[in-house]
Amino acid sequence: MWSKRYRGALLTICAAMMLTGTTAMAAPLKSGLTIAFVPKQVNNPYEVTADNGGMAALKELGDHGKVVGPSNAGASSQVSYINTLIAQHVNAIVIAANDAHAVVPYLKKAMARGIKVVTFDSDTAPDGRQLFVNQATAESIGRGQIQLAAKLMGGSGELAILSATPNATNQNTWIGWMKKELAKPEYAHIKLVKIAYGNDDDQQSFVETQGLLEAYPHLKAIIAPTTVGIAAAARYISTSPYKGKVVVTGLGTPNQMREFIKNGTVTAFQLWDPGQLGYLAAYAAANLASGTISDKPGESFMAGKLGKRTVGADGEIILGPLTTFDASNIGNFNF
Ligand code: RAM
């Protein structure tokens, strides 16, 4: 039997542990902060879901959230919005950058005036922000896309990539990892023939798909690592003689891809939950603006329903692993 003294000591330790736990959970966040989300473009369903996730988090926290941004993903399209947010002196800017460098001088100006800057989805050069909330590691996304495409292609044939804009930091980083994965001997029979850019514009992505199929009559697969591109490519192929012959895969939202899985144009594609990405970015920004974290690796914070998150190297915070969607699980997702 345990002695009375031993039991007493145990109780004290448990109480101390509970207290510490409670203190960590109830981080002293400021409330009433104004935090602005600047998406790549406001009319992209992926970005809308991400921003909605951010707004939901800010509501939970008692902060004021707003979304402002351009309708095209051009390199400098976000600059005027950043300038306005500086003039309004918001507490934090959460931005999916359209270019790694074009926005940096303006974000630096914001930071110099005490505005916290968090990138999410698409990063800037590291000096343009304090934290980057990344959907998954760029390596896992890039390699994962090739592994899935290779399986769908049966291990051989010509492959093309239909990307977003030529300057998109996220797509370019993923494509870099795709090339590294393709260099492995197991992909010796897969040839990357072209990288095309649909600029995250539906119509342009549709036309680029047509162009790829005309230019490469033996094309076996298209990877579109953009939700806009994959939906446009699938739509083009769904009513063409290539349906069932040319593989279309990449990164897509289940809601935009559902009909193409159903009609057999697409077998499988990948993504993460964009709503959760925005949600995590909002919590990171609120913590940064409250001073509960800075940009130091190893610092952690509570991100509401997503639990405890930790700042990694270069101020990067990772949401989680990729999900692969196909006919067996797409019904479970609604975004
Ligand atoms: C598009 C955008 C976004 C990207 C997704 C996968 O919606 O380019 O930045 O993360 O696709």
Side-chain angles (χ1 to χ4, degrees), residues 40 44 46-47 121 135 170-171 174 200 226-227 251 272:
K40 273 185 170 179
N44 171 348
Y46 169 96
E47 304 279 336
D121 182 49
Q135 33 271 55
N170 51 343
Q171 272 87 10
W174 302 333
D200 266 353
T226 136
T227 57
L251 300 173
W272 43 88

Side-chain angles (χ1 to χ4, degrees), residues 249-263:
T249 189
L251 300 173
T253 67
N255 286 353
Q256 285 177 285
M257 298 308 289
R258 208 174 304 281
E259 61 173 297
F260 304 116
I261 289 275
K262 231 184 196 158
N263 70 22

Side-chain angles (χ1 to χ4, degrees), residues 25-140:
M25 301 271 297
L29 288 186
K30 290 180 185 163
S31 67
L33 298 166
T34 299
I35 297 184
F37 271 56
V38 184
K40 273 185 170 179
Q41 48 186 161
V42 286
N43 47 348
N44 171 348
Y46 169 96
E47 304 279 336
V48 172
T49 307
D51 296 338
N52 287 344
M55 295 306 110
L58 295 176
K59 202 167 164 200
E60 281 175 13
L61 291 167
D63 293 331
H64 309 295
K66 60 175 169 181
V67 181
V68 291
S71 54
N72 74 79
S76 308
S77 61
Q78 294 164 313
V79 168
S80 64
Y81 296 92
I82 298 169
N83 281 336
T84 304
L85 294 172
I86 295 173
Q88 293 170 345
H89 211 276
V90 295
N91 297 100
I93 296 174
V94 180
I95 181 169
N98 278 324
D99 187 276
H101 306 288
V103 287
V104 168
Y106 306 94
L107 294 176
K108 274 186 170 167
K109 190 166 145 195
M111 288 189 283
R113 304 208 174 163
I115 299 173
K116 303 297 178 191
V117 176
V118 175
T119 52
F120 79 133
D121 182 49
S122 187
D123 200 8
T124 56
D127 58 340
R129 49 71 175 172
Q130 283 141 318
L131 296 172
F132 169 41
V133 180
N134 198 353
Q135 33 271 55
T137 66
E139 177 171 0
S140 70

